[in-house]
Amino acid sequence: MSDAPAHRYLPNTIEPKWQARWERENVFAAHNDSDKPKYYALCMFPYPSGTGLHVGHPESYTAIDIVSRYKRMQGFNVLNPFGFDAFGLPAERAAQREGRHPEGITRERMEYFRTQVKSLGFSFDWNREVVTCDVDYYHWTQWLFTLFFERGLAYLAEVPVWWCEAQGTVLANEEVVDNRYVETGDPVERRYMRQWMLRITDYAESLLEGLDDPSLDWPEGLKDMQRAWIGKSTGAQLSFVIDGHDDLTFDVFTTRPDTLGAATYCVLAPEHELVAAITTDDQREVVTTYVDAAAAKSERDRQVGEKDKTGVFTGAYAINPLNGRKVPVWVADYVLAGYGTGAIMAVPGHDERDHDFATVHGLPIESAYTLPEGFDIGAGVFLATETQTTVNSGQFDGLGQEEAKQAITDYLVAEGIGEAQTNYRLRDWLFSRQRYWGEPFPILHGPNGEIVTVPDDALPVELPHVDEYRPTDAGEPPLARATEWVNVTIDGKTWKRETNTMPQWAGSCWYWLRYMDPHNDKAAWSNEATEYWQAVDLYIGGVEHAVLHLLYARFWNHVFHDLGLVSVREPFTRLFNQGMILANAYRERNGKYHHPNDVVNLQDEPFEMVSPWTQQPVVTTWYATDEHGKRVPVEEKSGKMGKSLNNAVDPMDIVASHGADALRIYEMFMGPLDQVKVWSTSGCDGVLRFLQRVWRLFINDETGEVRPFASQTKPAARKALHVAVKEAGAGIEELRFNTPIAKMMEFVNVCGPDTPSRDDAEIFVRILSPWAPHVAEELWERFGHTESLTFEPWPAVDESALIDDEITIVIQIKGKKKTVIQVPVDADDDTILQAARDAADLSPDNVIKEILVPGRLVNFVTK
Ligand code: ANZ
């Protein structure tokens, strides 16, 4: 290292210098009172986990930062904020383990995240930081909840929930797989508990309509995921009467009323209230046993992968209202209590699930449609009905599918036994948790069962201190321990505070609005602020938030819109999902993982080992060192970065070894933003070399002086520059951040040792700056500027520089290629021929004929 030039590219010196200056001068502050057009760029704020940021996180932050810096140069007033989704169960679990308070743990983690994020030089406006566990933030989360309550959109209900005994809390459906909590593996059980619910189902139609808004620039796949989650289906609801018991009826929901004639049995969900009443004595024992067993299974287990459907006969029959036939009534858990009416008419001739069930249990299978020659309905369902017409449907025989749906629905309505019906898969949102580390509900329970919200002037309801985060012995949430806090005396009567807390989702349901007006202590936000900033112009985050966060956030915004609190219904105009960055994990035969920093690749020492993943023999050249200092072979395999694979790469390590600019460029250069990519620290080497070349193009690394600018950039370099300018602008607009880098590299290559002109050097530095802001600022300053280049105008493309001013002409002798020449595009024939003769090096006497194909070639016919 000692002979390295003293003034070489030193990111570890340059980067802290610029970060400090940006902060000191408050360069990236967004202004609410600006005359400039606004641009709001937002990345999904992180949960401050114990592992800190890994190199996957800065992918979306870098993308958002590039767009923000570019928009500032285009003259926009840019809002690019950052914050923390800071409430949540993991910190509470860590608190239990470490005997500390979750707040202390959370604040400590956030501090490390901040240090990490700041070392990357993002242009966040840190003055607007939002932290969901700060009292002056959750004050307004509570206030917003009171609006939901007053509108009837928040209610208490006795609902079946997943109760996790080990964690002492209710879990959301998506946190439970195979009857275990996904995070810890703790078993969970079904319980009925009184819970706060949000009436998101009231907004099902509104949320669907919003997705159809053509100005919503979201990936189609993501819109479809939301549509599927909402799950709208249209059909009919109709009632069946139990044979011999006119007073016992049950309703079914069907999307296919046209197949009613072929309904050969009915099924009730095990939880259906009629099960006990209709079960005959001789069937009672099997039915009871079956119902009890079903209660222990999760909905997911019941929906997927059960080919041989289980179920039992109740002994009762119902009457098919179309043809008067008696059909058996079964109980089976493929029918879900929580969907439709919890009961179905089974049409095994046309429905796969019913067909499977009927086959297993020997139930009759009939067709509601004429069948093609030779079609065996017992062997499989009949789906194609365009050309077929109804049968087995009495007065409705002979109709096409759509006609039959309509006619049979009309008949059911006329008979008073049914109606057209739309159903949604979406359920109301379970909004309470028996946890400590969350927003307290602003709710008081009165001595006579009254439920009221805490008045606005008594907000916030601060989270009281408790020392123990488990539920109480009486099974109440941990907040019940804060007895002084819980009991509120009003006019001599004791009211009790709600002791549940809100789920982690609550804070992220409106944080983008708070960023618009983060220090407002009179309101959640002011009208002026939202009028100016909404909607978010670009929102980037992981696809794992496709349904829950993005659906919840849209729901809250729709409610705010209906309340007149915001004037835009859809909060995120353009949405993009970055692809996950995976990292290689290294695993010993015995299953132990070694961190990527602790392994070596010995290409010359291949070793055959048994794969810890597949148990098959594999050849590896990777080695780690075990606790006795012995070398052990490990297998390499990529996977999600994190604790479990011990493969999280800390961006701070890369900043130390390569610099933040190299890290930023590498993250973008790995591939298209939406693709899954595998991290490779050595991949940063190439990017670092590029930045070193940029440096040496402009700086004499022996003296530290700026190398003299050329009076004119050589034409090929000028063209390469404007190709890069064009690609940089288009790339940013289209969120393609890798291809512009390739063009910038090409420019540097074409320049070779030749410095461009000052103007062109400054153009280059400006387009480089969104990707590599530190080195760009440093060069800008060394070029003699005193102001940051943050607000320098984005360079315009010089289209004329893109036009080829030379063309290539192939020189042939007797039709065989001899060489090529470059001539000016506008060269006349004589000039071209003369140049061709010179290049062909022929004696004029030998030439019989000269053939010129304009723009392409010259062929000499010789003796
Ligand atoms: C008869 C029928 C015939 C049906 C046919 C489908 C095809 P989607 O589209 O998802 O809304 N169903 C109704 N309630 C159910 C429940 N609680 N559990 C399980 N299945 C239920 O599905 C609606 C269809 O799913 C309904 O239409 C019903 O079966 C079934 F050729 O009725 B269908």
Side-chain angles (χ1 to χ4, degrees):
M1 274 325 242
S2 57
D3 54 354
H7 298 279
R8 66 190 185 279
Y9 171 54
L10 290 172
N12 294 335
T13 312
I14 297 173
E15 292 174 353
K17 166 184 157 184
W18 284 100
Q19 286 160 16
R21 177 158 162 199
W22 292 328
E23 188 159 333
R24 202 169 55 240
E25 294 178 5
N26 206 7
V27 175
F28 307 122
H31 302 285
N32 278 20
D33 50 1
S34 166
D35 309 328
K36 291 183 183 178
K38 67 92 188 183
Y39 191 88
Y40 188 176
L42 181 66
C43 50
M44 291 183 185
F45 66 168
Y47 172 75
S49 68
T51 36
L53 283 190
H54 56 63
V55 291
H57 292 98
E59 187 187 18
S60 63
Y61 308 162
T62 306
I64 282 290
D65 197 54
I66 291 174
V67 175
S68 300
R69 288 178 180 271
Y70 164 78
K71 289 288 174 186
R72 282 190 199 97
M73 295 176 89
Q74 284 196 319
F76 287 86
N77 177 29
V78 172
L79 174 53
N80 176 26
F82 196 75
F84 293 97
D85 188 14
F87 273 133
L89 188 59
E92 190 168 312
R93 259 195 302 176
Q96 258 170 38
R97 261 193 325 266
E98 298 170 24
R100 298 178 55 192
H101 195 274
E103 171 146 16
I105 292 179
T106 304
R107 300 225 173 257
E108 201 175 284
R109 290 174 173 184
M110 285 193 293
E111 204 37 53
Y112 186 59
F113 266 65
R114 271 188 211 105
T115 313
Q116 289 181 305
V117 171
K118 288 189 174 179
S119 77
L120 292 165
F122 298 124
S123 62
F124 292 127
D125 179 355
W126 287 98
N127 309 312
R128 293 181 182 244
E129 189 190 71
V130 157
V131 175
T132 55
C133 70
D134 280 349
V135 183
D136 48 8
Y137 181 79
Y138 72 68
H139 175 167
W140 301 109
T141 310
Q142 292 174 335
W143 179 74
L144 292 167
F145 178 84
T146 65
L147 303 183
F148 276 78
F149 182 80
E150 281 150 19
R151 267 215 131 195
L153 290 170
Y155 62 96
L156 270 171
E158 194 78 23
V159 289
V161 295
W162 288 116
W163 173 256
C164 178
E165 186 64 36
Q167 300 297 331
T169 187
V170 156
L171 297 169
N173 271 330
E174 56 280 2
E175 292 168 316
V176 176
V177 172
D178 296 335
N179 290 343
R180 288 185 180 275
Y181 177 28
V182 283
E183 291 266 335
T184 59
D186 293 320
V188 299
E189 62 186 59
R190 272 294 194 208
R191 269 199 195 169
Y192 273 81
M193 287 180 74
R194 234 157 97 87
Q195 298 288 318
W196 283 98
M197 307 292 290
L198 292 191
R199 223 179 280 283
I200 191 172
T201 50
D202 272 15
Y203 278 75
E205 206 50 49
S206 166
L207 290 165
L208 278 176
E209 269 168 28
L211 293 175
D212 294 333
D213 178 344
S215 65
L216 203 68
D217 183 3
W218 286 30
E220 277 310 313
L222 203 144
K223 291 189 196 173
D224 284 344
M225 282 166 82
Q226 292 218 345
R227 288 190 185 106
W229 190 263
I230 297 167
K232 177 177 182 172
S233 33
T234 49
Q237 185 164 315
L238 61 132
S239 37
F240 279 75
V241 181
I242 297 294
D243 183 37
H245 297 272
D246 286 354
D247 53 331
L248 292 180
T249 67
F250 61 93
D251 288 343
V252 303
F253 169 68
T254 177
T255 49
R256 296 289 305 276
D258 55 310
T259 63
L260 176 55
T264 52
Y265 64 100
C266 286
V267 184
L268 305 183
E271 297 85 350
H272 198 284
E273 55 182 18
L274 222 59
V275 172
I278 64 167
T279 299
T280 56
D281 287 342
D282 42 338
Q283 289 298 99
R284 189 158 313 278
E285 201 178 324
V286 286
V287 169
T288 311
T289 311
Y290 184 81
V291 167
D292 290 348
K297 284 204 236 171
S298 77
E299 280 211 358
R300 193 173 162 279
D301 291 345
R302 286 165 53 167
Q303 271 170 311
V304 295
E306 286 197 38
K307 214 48 188 142
D308 54 326
K309 301 220 159 98
T310 63
V312 286
F313 179 42
T314 60
Y317 291 83
I319 308 295
N320 182 323
L322 199 63
N323 52 27
R325 280 198 233 160
K326 275 168 59 171
V327 295
V329 182
W330 283 61
V331 177
D333 65 7
Y334 78 99
V335 173
L336 306 174
Y339 187 66
T341 60
I344 64 159
M345 62 180 220
V347 185
H350 305 288
D351 181 276
E352 294 274 2
R353 296 163 297 184
D354 297 344
H355 198 281
D356 292 344
F357 190 85
T359 308
V360 172
H361 299 284
L363 290 157
I365 302 176
E366 277 173 27
S367 181
Y369 285 90
T370 50
L371 292 172
E373 265 299 307
F375 189 96
D376 176 10
I377 196 111
V381 294
F382 181 63
L383 294 174
T385 54
E386 270 122 64
T387 54
Q388 319 302 126
T389 52
T390 41
V391 293
N392 285 326
S393 304
Q395 59 184 115
F396 302 106
D397 277 357
L399 302 179
Q401 185 169 315
E402 289 311 312
E403 269 175 306
K405 273 186 185 169
Q406 192 58 55
I408 294 176
T409 306
D410 289 348
Y411 166 80
L412 295 170
V413 172
E415 294 291 305
I417 51 172
E419 56 195 16
Q421 171 93 26
T422 301
N423 253 319
Y424 300 90
R425 226 154 250 288
L426 186 68
R427 301 280 79 132
D428 274 346
W429 173 13
L430 178 76
F431 196 69
S432 47
R433 301 288 185 271
Q434 291 64 54
R435 288 175 185 165
Y436 170 71
W437 191 229
E439 299 86 348
F441 281 91
I443 289 286
L444 287 168
H445 298 270
N448 304 314
E450 311 91 317
I451 300 173
V452 299
T453 54
V454 172
D456 289 358
D457 59 11
L459 293 179
V461 178
E462 282 197 44
L463 188 62
H465 204 92
V466 300
D467 304 317
E468 163 79 69
Y469 312 111
R470 290 189 48 77
T472 65
D473 293 338
E476 284 184 281
L479 281 184
R481 287 208 168 75
T483 39
E484 266 185 42
W485 175 87
V486 170
N487 295 314
V488 179
T489 311
I490 303 170
D491 297 336
K493 294 230 165 77
T494 304
W495 291 59
K496 283 190 182 303
R497 290 190 192 277
E498 172 66 52
T499 52
N500 283 313
T501 53
M502 297 187 201
Q504 199 187 334
W505 304 108
S508 57
C509 277
W510 70 283
Y511 77 115
W512 72 94
L513 289 160
R514 187 65 178 174
Y515 281 139
M516 300 177 187
D517 195 10
H519 307 296
N520 195 332
D521 57 3
K522 305 276 177 310
W525 58 79
S526 71
N527 268 340
E528 299 82 65
T530 51
E531 278 308 303
Y532 179 69
W533 287 114
Q534 69 191 348
V536 174
D537 295 284
L538 175 65
Y539 193 22
I540 301 187
V543 71
E544 65 275 19
H545 297 297
V547 271
L548 301 175
H549 161 60
L550 285 172
L551 197 68
Y552 295 157
R554 292 182 59 224
F555 164 47
W556 279 45
N557 203 75
H558 285 206
V559 174
F560 300 156
H561 187 245
D562 286 345
L563 292 170
L565 291 171
V566 296
S567 62
V568 165
R569 200 157 179 90
E570 286 301 327
F572 315 119
T573 306
R574 185 180 188 188
L575 186 106
F576 199 83
N577 297 126
Q578 84 270 16
M580 193 157 12
I581 295 186
L582 306 177
N584 284 323
Y586 299 88
R587 197 172 184 194
E588 264 185 60
R589 167 75 195 108
N590 69 11
K592 183 176 172 192
Y593 289 94
H594 292 266
H595 192 268
N597 288 352
D598 305 330
V599 296
V600 286
N601 190 6
L602 303 176
Q603 296 283 2
D604 301 333
E605 295 180 38
F607 182 89
E608 187 175 309
M609 67 183 281
V610 177
S611 165
W613 279 288
T614 62
Q615 311 306 328
Q616 300 297 315
V618 284
V619 174
T620 186
T621 55
W622 288 98
Y623 295 87
T625 309
D626 72 9
E627 59 272 32
H628 313 295
K630 241 187 76 198
R631 195 185 280 168
V632 283
V634 287
E635 190 189 353
E636 178 189 74
K637 196 174 172 181
S638 66
K640 198 175 157 181
M641 254 181 279
K643 241 193 212 143
S644 56
L645 301 185
N646 189 15
N647 63 344
V649 180
D650 188 333
M652 302 274 274
D653 290 346
I654 309 299
V655 169
S657 59
H658 293 73
D661 283 342
L663 171 61
R664 296 166 55 112
I665 295 186
Y666 177 63
E667 297 246 340
M668 296 296 102
F669 198 52
M670 288 173 83
L673 187 61
D674 58 352
Q675 230 113 98
V676 176
K677 291 146 290 207
V678 182
W679 175 265
S680 143
T681 299
S682 61
C684 297
D685 297 351
V687 173
L688 178 58
R689 278 196 296 275
F690 161 64
L691 290 173
Q692 287 163 339
R693 296 187 62 192
V694 169
W695 184 258
R696 288 197 305 267
L697 182 59
F698 301 113
I699 306 292
N700 178 331
D701 59 4
E702 302 287 347
T703 64
E705 273 163 28
V706 178
R707 296 177 57 202
F709 293 112
S711 58
Q712 249 191 337
T713 309
K714 62 182 182 185
R718 227 184 103 68
K719 182 178 168 193
L721 176 64
H722 282 276
V723 168
V725 173
K726 190 167 187 171
E727 187 62 22
I732 295 173
E733 296 286 352
E734 291 156 27
L735 308 182
R736 238 181 328 102
F737 302 103
N738 52 335
T739 48
I741 288 296
K743 300 293 181 205
M744 289 185 233
M745 289 177 170
E746 217 165 295
F747 165 74
V748 175
N749 281 343
V750 175
C751 283
D754 306 324
T755 314
S757 72
R758 165 179 276 275
D759 282 354
D760 289 342
E762 293 193 345
I763 288 176
F764 177 73
V765 166
R766 278 184 280 159
I767 61 164
L768 177 68
S769 68
W771 280 263
H774 308 87
V775 70
E777 288 273 27
E778 182 67 21
L779 291 170
W780 191 251
E781 186 182 54
R782 290 181 181 226
F783 290 174
H785 299 280
T786 50
E787 296 279 305
S788 159
L789 57 57
T790 306
F791 302 104
E792 286 300 318
W794 183 255
V797 183
D798 180 355
E799 294 286 344
S800 71
L802 299 179
I803 298 169
D804 281 311
D805 41 24
E806 290 200 323
I807 45 169
T808 306
I809 302 281
V810 177
I811 311 299
Q812 296 179 338
I813 296 173
K814 283 191 179 162
K816 274 181 99 174
K817 179 171 166 185
K818 167 114 202 257
T819 183
V820 295
I821 56 167
Q822 301 288 333
V823 297
V825 229
D826 50 1
D828 57 22
D829 291 0
D830 287 345
T831 317
I832 297 172
L833 282 171
Q834 192 49 52
R837 284 180 208 120
D838 293 348
D841 199 16
L842 289 169
S843 119
D845 306 343
N846 274 348
V847 177
I848 304 171
K849 205 173 167 193
E850 295 172 342
I851 304 161
L852 170 70
V853 182
R856 301 212 12 227
L857 60 84
V858 176
N859 186 18
F860 294 103
V861 184
T862 52
K863 284 184 191 155

